[in-house]
Amino acid sequence: SNSDRIPLLTANSCTSACTKGRSAAAMTKGPRVIPMTCTMLVGLVLVALCWMMFHKEYSFHHDQLPGMCSDARLHNEAMTKARFFIDDTAQTHGVVTLRCSIPVHVYPCADDNSTFCA
């Protein structure tokens, strides 16, 4: 029978039914506007934080100066004069913890042409 049929909507009837009382722009906003806006704001904050961290690391790297490290001895001393320290003063419940220390001497290089740092 005719009452069991689903009415077919044409393009004109759908457009007029969808926009009754509202503009098309208001229809597209809907309930998803707030989550989408929050997501975009969180994304912008994350991008800003990433760039700030990059700038901090780049500035740190840019300010570094070349140098030379000498472990356990001064630069002008022979390897036989190398020294290290053992500390056995830490004791807990009858267990002694040994700590080994090796002094490290850092010598800054004044310029890149220095043979001292080569």
Side-chain angles (χ1 to χ4, degrees):
S1 73
N2 285 342
S3 62
D4 294 337
R5 287 185 167 177
I6 299 173
L8 296 175
L9 296 175
T10 62
N12 290 338
S13 64
C14 182
T15 304
S16 63
C18 292
T19 59
K20 268 188 186 167
R22 294 192 208 171
S23 69
M27 288 292 297
T28 58
K29 289 184 180 179
R32 294 188 301 182
V33 171
I34 293 175
M36 183 65 82
T37 304
C38 291
T39 302
M40 289 173 55
L41 286 175
V42 168
L44 286 173
V45 168
L46 288 175
V47 167
L49 285 173
C50 287
W51 276 110
M52 286 173 31
M53 289 174 55
F54 171 77
H55 184 279
K56 178 182 166 188
E57 292 293 326
Y58 180 77
S59 297
F60 177 76
H61 173 73
H62 189 265
D63 293 338
Q64 297 297 301
L65 297 174
M68 185 193 72
C69 295
S70 177
D71 294 335
R73 63 185 177 90
L74 296 174
H75 181 66
N76 57 356
E77 290 181 334
M79 284 297 273
T80 57
K81 295 218 174 184
R83 54 194 170 272
F84 60 94
F85 306 99
I86 299 175
D87 179 16
D88 62 350
T89 58
Q91 183 176 359
T92 307
H93 304 290
V95 177
V96 176
T97 303
L98 292 176
R99 293 186 184 174
C100 297
S101 300
I102 300 173
V104 176
H105 304 280
V106 179
Y107 299 96
C109 297
D111 58 2
D112 292 335
N113 297 328
S114 174
T115 57
F116 177 76
C117 293

